[in-house]
Amino acid sequence: MTSKLVQRLLKGRNLDKKNSGAKNGGKSRPKKVVKPSKKKPSKNVKSGNEKGVAVDVSDLNWKTVQIPDTMDDYGGFYGLEEIDGVDVKIVDGKAQFIAKDPKKAVKSPSESGKLDDDIEEQDDGDDENPMQDLIEFKNMDDLEEGELGAPSSDGSEEEAGQDDDMEDDIKDVNVDEEPQQRSEEKEEDEVSSQLGIEAADGEPEQPADDDELEVNVFGDEVDIEDLEGLPEWTSRMKLSMTTLQGLSKQYFVRPTEIQAAAIPLALDGHDIMGKASTGSGKTLAYGIPILEKLVADQSGSKPIGIIFTPTRELAHQVTQHMQKQAFSINKKNPYAIVSLTGGLSIHKQERLLKYDGCARIIIATPGRFLEIIERDPKLIDRFSQIDYLVLDEADRLLQDGHFDEFDKILKHLGKARNMKRKVKSEYAGTGWQTMIFSATFSMDLFNKLVTTNWKKLGKDKDTNEMEQALKHLMTKINFRSKPVIVDVNPDNKIHSKIAEALIECLPTERDLYTYYFLTVYPGTTLVFCNAIDSVKKLNSYLTFLGISSFQIHSSMTQKNRLKNLEKFRQEASSNKTHGKPTVLIASDVAARGLDIPDIKHVLNYHLPRSADVYIHRSGRTARGDNEGVSVMICSPQEAMGPLRKLRKVLSSKSEAAHGKKWQKDVPVFPIEPGVLSQLRDRGAIANELAEDQLATRSLTKDANWLKKAADDLGIELDSEDESKDIILAKNKVKKQGKQLGKQEVKDLQFQLKQMLKKPIRKDLRKSYLTGGSTNLADDLVKNTGHASIIGHKKTDALEFLKKNKKNRK
Ligand SMILES: Nc1ncnc2c1ncn2[C@@H]1O[C@H](COP(=O)(O)OP(=O)(O)OP(=O)(O)O)[C@@H](O)[C@H]1O
């Protein structure tokens, strides 16, 4: 009996050079085909046996499985194909596909054609190197010396518990195929996700015909009337219908300040240095001009722009933002706008870059981009043809230590383009248009870069900070002409829609006060810690306390980071309706650029290391038109020293001139001792359990790591080897000291469970439903009571701070 085979497509899309817009005037789009095998496909059906004919898998006539529209494209399950009348036989460990009736089961030559040659897979294996990832992220992110403990005790893989659901998406698919094939498809899926392809949320996986698209775009999806509702865009700048449709679809009825100022200048061909608050729409300020070029040249094949970002998450986010804005182009060619970051197979990315019509706009981290172009000089020639170069979060990209990679990229591209300096530090007419954007252009970040004239520039008191930074940048970046400075946030301060506050506590009580804040002010909260160990510990602590908590830090694999971000988003939206907190605990890998909707609070568990970091961390709330709260937890000693310094940098010149004290601007959150005391005991137990959990995980990892290292070296591990290494031995003893016995863990978990069942009461109040200062019955009826503290009114940190501010005035 022949079976029905099912295979998964690369997100239902593929690369069909033959059908790419480049050769068809942009009219046709990639045909949906899958390349499931690394084997070079045969053009002809192979010789058969008495039961059927052995057929190469890529020659089979797969049929698309229709999946209901209501299903999300989560994990790429929209790309299923099936075939009848084919058996799988394992011969010499390899799968053979036996077709009973080759006429029915095999594609006609015109269907199979040369496509597979075009996208022939090389036997490249998976290049993911966890250690390499770590190094990359150490460069760009926040790892501190010693944070990793034993040699990658954390590896690049997250703790077992966290990894469980990071399992291969494909496992649920009923596939009669070789495991190897499945893992290849998994890789493909990762690449498609890496390229930001899933951004086409909810859209059909099979692109529609052009006519159909017109109907969709102008009929169902975008009300043509809406376009008339965008006079605030059209009166200020000339934009294509495609761009206006994108804006209309996202309900962006007017440009933000930075967009209104920067887009017309960019469309006029100016190089730009742009500064605006966090969450003020800088992505589209540089993105729209680049997309306009793509709209005008949809059938072309040369790359239009490269956007560099300092972190992978940001690169993915910018990709999705751009794809969403250019949704109709993205529908036709999902590979026109792609991201290029570390953490996933470089070979897959390299292959995709070679196709005409693909990768017209690239959003990349500098490390991976440099690696790719240095492996293939042809790519240097290709990318030197760009019209636009963007540095998002430019100050971070150009920061000490990171500039080298970027400098090398500039040199490679400049040389290939044969750029000639026309005037001092300007490449008039020969270069690309450069746009650099950030919320901060702090002098602190540049002053570590060694330049001969930097000190002199720093003394020039008449020039403002942006001018000085620009003078410096002019020596580093190949601008076409002197960039126009667009500074819509000249005071360089925290976004005006963010209410700031302080919580003072002992350094050892940060966990407890975080728990307190989350309990009293539930909502979507992003907590920033300075050390990865603190992220892990707090995540474990809050999870034991029953709070929906997720973590993201730079020693996690890229896949897990993206997954956790996604899970946090999902959980936040369901918890919101129940008045429950949802927490994302992050290292500074999440401080810049991330645009997570509806973050109500940012909590600085540790004081940020600089004012810029504080501005970026706080800027994860109050995105777009929203308001938000940023709270710093600090000890009394910190308030005297580092905090004072931080506030001094943040206070505007006018405030300083008026002798205004920062304490007046930043209120201390009042703590209700009655509530806090009820949280203390449960917090203490959660703390013990969290320490035990982390110590146990870490010891297991250390042991695994040592064993693997010994296996790799082909030596047998002597149980005394560890104790010979003093640091390892000390670490081990320290961790063992935090471990609990199995029974102890069980007892504590039981105790905690009982405690968590008990409701928290305001002022330890016991009963009196209608008596006392708060009428509980009233609260119940009017729904004015707190979701988790009996006798407490509903609270909102933002409202509280606003009222507080009014009272202080
Ligand atoms: N014209 C607009 N009207 C309303 N919302 C907008 C507009 N442009 C962008 N947004 C939204 O504002 C939010 C912030 O945009 P974006 O991420 O570009 O900010 P940013 O200035 O780059 O922030 P950061 O400095 O933190 O990186 C996004 O959710 C985006 O969709």
Side-chain angles (χ1 to χ4, degrees):
M1 199 184 83
T2 52
S3 54
K4 176 173 276 197
L5 299 185
V6 182
Q7 67 174 350
R8 187 166 62 153
L9 295 177
L10 195 159
K11 292 280 177 188
R13 301 166 180 118
N14 82 328
L15 297 170
D16 185 350
K17 190 176 176 185
K18 202 171 52 178
N19 289 326
S20 76
K23 296 195 177 172
N24 294 285
K27 280 288 170 196
S28 64
R29 58 194 61 81
K31 191 179 141 210
K32 181 178 149 183
V33 185
V34 70
K35 179 71 182 71
S37 166
K38 285 192 174 182
K39 235 172 15 165
K40 190 175 163 83
S42 63
K43 297 267 161 38
N44 301 312
V45 173
K46 287 180 185 159
S47 64
N49 56 25
E50 69 284 346
K51 286 185 183 165
V53 178
V55 180
D56 204 298
V57 64
S58 50
D59 289 332
L60 291 171
N61 200 7
W62 296 94
K63 300 256 180 334
T64 306
V65 177
Q66 295 305 323
I67 294 176
D69 285 345
T70 46
M71 258 181 79
D72 273 348
D73 187 13
Y74 192 73
F77 287 106
Y78 262 7
L80 290 182
E81 288 194 337
E82 61 179 23
I83 191 159
D84 281 316
V86 177
D87 258 341
V88 180
K89 223 176 133 188
I90 305 296
V91 180
D92 295 330
K94 289 183 180 167
Q96 273 200 0
F97 294 80
I98 312 294
K100 223 172 182 184
D101 183 352
K103 274 186 200 155
K104 278 188 193 163
V106 177
K107 277 185 264 186
S108 67
S110 63
E111 278 173 299
S112 49
K114 70 186 266 302
L115 166 79
D116 289 338
D117 288 336
D118 291 340
I119 59 167
E120 180 189 344
E121 303 242 0
Q122 289 139 26
D123 201 356
D124 51 32
D126 187 355
D127 72 322
E128 274 200 43
N129 173 351
M131 222 36 221
Q132 183 55 39
D133 280 353
L134 227 67
I135 293 158
E136 258 184 75
F137 266 85
K138 197 170 167 62
N139 281 342
M140 298 308 295
D141 295 321
D142 56 347
L143 285 191
E144 286 208 312
E145 234 178 295
E147 274 182 0
L148 287 173
S152 185
S153 68
D154 212 11
S156 65
E157 290 299 329
E158 196 38 60
E159 293 86 339
Q162 286 271 334
D163 268 356
D164 285 344
D165 43 352
M166 308 306 171
E167 281 289 332
D168 183 5
D169 304 338
I170 207 165
K171 68 185 173 194
D172 293 331
V173 186
N174 175 20
V175 190
D176 289 342
E177 61 193 18
E178 264 190 305
Q180 187 198 357
Q181 182 181 323
R182 289 167 56 172
S183 82
E184 284 157 7
E185 286 176 8
K186 175 192 161 194
E187 280 179 33
E188 294 282 15
D189 181 52
E190 284 178 9
V191 173
S192 55
S193 130
Q194 148 81 352
L195 292 167
I197 289 158
E198 66 268 77
D201 52 337
E203 290 171 6
E205 44 106 12
Q206 181 86 53
D209 288 331
D210 277 355
D211 292 344
E212 220 180 293
L213 198 65
E214 296 284 282
V215 172
N216 285 341
V217 170
F218 297 108
D220 300 343
E221 295 180 5
V222 176
D223 187 350
I224 192 77
E225 299 280 311
D226 285 349
L227 299 178
E228 287 159 22
L230 298 176
E232 296 201 45
W233 285 96
T234 48
S235 63
R236 291 166 196 240
M237 55 195 93
K238 198 171 177 317
L239 296 174
S240 65
M241 281 299 271
T242 307
T243 293
L244 290 172
Q245 284 158 12
L247 293 168
S248 171
K249 199 176 182 198
Q250 296 174 90
Y251 302 103
F252 293 167
V253 288
R254 66 186 66 83
T256 63
E257 207 179 342
I258 185 74
Q259 290 163 355
I263 296 172
L265 287 167
L267 290 174
D268 272 355
H270 292 282
D271 283 356
I272 291 173
M273 180 182 187
K275 180 165 145 261
S277 302
T278 51
S280 61
K282 290 187 286 296
T283 312
L284 288 187
Y286 62 72
I288 285 178
I290 303 178
L291 290 173
E292 283 292 291
K293 183 83 185 174
L294 179 65
V295 172
D297 181 24
Q298 280 185 63
S299 56
S301 62
K302 107 181 166 58
I304 291 170
I306 307 172
I307 298 159
F308 287 107
T309 68
T311 64
R312 297 167 183 180
E313 280 77 13
L314 189 51
H316 289 278
Q317 179 185 293
V318 170
T319 307
Q320 293 180 0
H321 201 4
M322 300 275 281
Q323 287 176 334
K324 221 170 181 180
Q325 170 56 35
F327 75 98
S328 57
I329 294 181
N330 190 51
K331 213 168 201 172
K332 289 188 216 167
N333 178 1
Y335 296 95
I337 304 166
V338 297
S339 62
L340 207 61
T341 68
L344 291 159
S345 168
I346 194 166
H347 302 287
K348 313 276 172 186
Q349 294 174 341
E350 282 173 331
R351 269 199 305 282
L352 288 167
L353 292 178
K354 288 181 186 147
Y355 290 94
D356 284 349
C358 289
R360 307 288 311 279
I361 298 172
I362 286 180
I363 299 94
T365 46
R368 176 51 64 94
F369 186 81
L370 181 63
E371 197 184 348
I372 282 190
I373 58 171
E374 285 190 337
R375 283 157 62 111
D376 182 357
K378 277 193 206 133
L379 288 176
I380 298 184
D381 288 339
R382 182 165 150 77
F383 291 119
S384 69
Q385 301 309 311
I386 48 166
D387 301 291
Y388 292 96
L389 179 81
V390 176
L391 275 72
D392 195 4
E393 306 290 346
D395 52 347
R396 180 86 172 109
L397 277 170
L398 299 172
Q399 215 174 335
D400 190 27
H402 307 316
F403 181 72
D404 292 352
E405 283 168 343
F406 186 68
D407 194 36
K408 278 188 193 156
I409 293 170
L410 283 186
K411 280 187 182 139
H412 282 309
L413 301 185
K415 202 170 153 205
R417 188 156 171 152
N418 201 16
M419 277 163 69
K420 297 257 171 5
R421 224 175 256 264
K422 294 278 157 116
V423 289
K424 198 179 164 214
S425 77
E426 290 179 15
Y427 293 77
T430 62
W432 44 74
Q433 193 174 336
T434 305
M435 297 188 266
I436 61 176
F437 277 83
S438 187
T440 49
F441 276 98
S442 146
M443 299 292 281
D444 289 351
L445 294 174
F446 294 118
N447 63 15
K448 283 189 196 146
L449 290 171
V450 186
T451 60
T452 45
N453 57 355
W454 178 236
K455 279 191 181 147
K456 206 172 126 224
L457 289 173
K459 281 180 190 157
D460 186 355
K461 289 203 173 92
D462 294 336
T463 336
N464 73 26
E465 199 171 65
M466 283 289 273
E467 284 283 357
Q468 288 186 40
L470 179 57
K471 271 191 200 170
H472 175 62
L473 288 175
M474 298 279 287
T475 67
K476 295 276 167 194
I477 295 179
N478 311 340
F479 289 111
R480 269 202 310 207
S481 56
K482 191 182 172 198
V484 180
I485 292 178
V486 184
D487 185 358
V488 299
N489 179 23
D491 253 1
N492 191 21
K493 298 297 156 327
I494 194 159
H495 196 302
S496 56
K497 286 184 176 157
I498 299 174
E500 300 171 89
L502 273 183
I503 289 181
E504 271 188 323
C505 70
L506 293 174
T508 50
E509 292 188 317
R510 290 181 203 276
D511 288 348
L512 176 64
Y513 279 78
T514 303
Y515 179 34
Y516 172 87
F517 180 84
L518 296 169
T519 307
V520 179
Y521 301 104
T524 318
T525 303
L526 183 48
V527 182
F528 283 105
C529 303
N530 289 355
I532 291 171
D533 281 350
S534 311
V535 173
K536 290 179 185 172
K537 161 80 191 308
L538 186 61
N539 182 45
S540 192
Y541 170 85
L542 292 176
T543 306
F544 276 118
L545 289 164
I547 290 179
S548 305
S549 174
F550 303 89
Q551 60 180 338
I552 172 172
H553 55 75
S554 49
S555 72
M556 286 166 70
T557 59
Q558 182 60 19
K559 205 168 82 169
N560 285 354
R561 283 159 54 162
L562 292 172
K563 280 266 183 184
N564 273 5
L565 265 179
E566 192 47 44
K567 283 202 281 184
F568 167 72
R569 284 186 173 119
Q570 284 170 5
E571 191 93 351
S573 73
S574 81
N575 277 347
K576 198 173 152 187
T577 42
H578 302 107
K580 284 191 192 163
T582 316
V583 191
L584 180 67
I585 306 163
S587 59
D588 280 324
V589 68
R592 280 197 181 240
L594 280 196
D595 184 49
I596 307 171
D598 292 336
I599 296 272
K600 280 182 82 170
H601 320 124
V602 169
L603 205 58
N604 292 274
Y605 178 90
H606 289 127
L607 279 190
R609 296 187 187 105
S610 74
D612 285 348
V613 173
Y614 178 66
I615 292 171
H616 287 282
R617 279 183 180 184
S618 304
R620 295 320 97 210
T621 185
R623 312 285 301 167
D625 291 334
N626 299 320
E627 294 175 287
V629 169
S630 176
V631 181
M632 274 185 283
I633 299 183
C634 77
S635 65
Q637 288 99 316
E638 283 174 327
M640 299 288 290
L643 182 64
R644 189 182 288 254
K645 271 191 200 154
L646 181 82
R647 298 310 315 185
K648 222 172 150 188
V649 179
L650 289 169
S651 62
S652 66
K653 278 177 197 135
S654 60
E655 280 164 1
H658 289 98
K660 198 174 163 195
K661 291 209 165 129
W662 65 264
Q663 288 91 335
K664 294 213 163 176
D665 260 356
V666 188
V668 176
F669 251 121
I671 301 293
E672 297 175 58
V675 174
L676 188 75
S677 68
Q678 293 171 74
L679 303 182
R680 210 175 270 281
D681 288 347
R682 30 184 107 185
I685 295 182
N687 187 54
E688 274 190 76
L689 288 168
E691 292 211 327
D692 164 72
Q693 189 175 62
L694 291 191
T696 305
R697 280 180 184 172
S698 183
L699 284 166
T700 312
K701 275 187 182 164
D702 288 351
N704 290 344
W705 181 84
L706 267 176
K707 191 178 172 313
K708 190 175 177 300
D711 287 350
D712 289 349
L713 292 170
I715 54 170
E716 225 166 87
L717 192 64
D718 181 346
S719 60
E720 283 179 14
D721 280 353
E722 277 181 66
S723 49
K724 282 181 202 153
D725 185 316
I726 297 172
I727 298 176
L728 276 185
K730 265 191 178 172
N731 260 339
K732 193 172 176 181
V733 171
K734 200 172 151 197
K735 286 169 192 171
Q736 281 170 339
K738 290 181 179 171
Q739 273 189 305
L740 303 170
K742 271 189 183 162
Q743 191 52 46
E744 219 176 334
V745 171
K746 271 190 185 166
D747 291 347
L748 285 177
Q749 280 179 339
F750 179 76
Q751 224 177 313
L752 183 59
K753 207 171 159 191
Q754 299 307 109
M755 283 179 164
L756 292 176
K757 276 186 192 161
K758 279 193 194 160
I760 301 160
R761 297 165 189 273
K762 183 177 161 68
D763 300 328
L764 296 170
R765 164 191 174 129
K766 295 269 186 267
S767 48
Y768 309 116
L769 204 61
T770 53
S773 58
T774 312
N775 188 323
L776 300 187
D778 228 30
D779 280 349
L780 272 175
V781 174
K782 293 181 186 156
N783 192 23
T784 51
H786 196 285
S788 50
I789 307 174
I790 293 181
H792 207 297
K793 291 278 177 212
K794 254 186 196 168
T795 48
D796 184 284
L798 180 65
E799 290 310 315
F800 170 80
L801 290 173
K802 278 183 174 173
K803 251 191 219 159
N804 190 287
K805 196 173 180 181
K806 257 191 206 163
N807 292 344
R808 278 183 294 137
K809 275 183 184 170

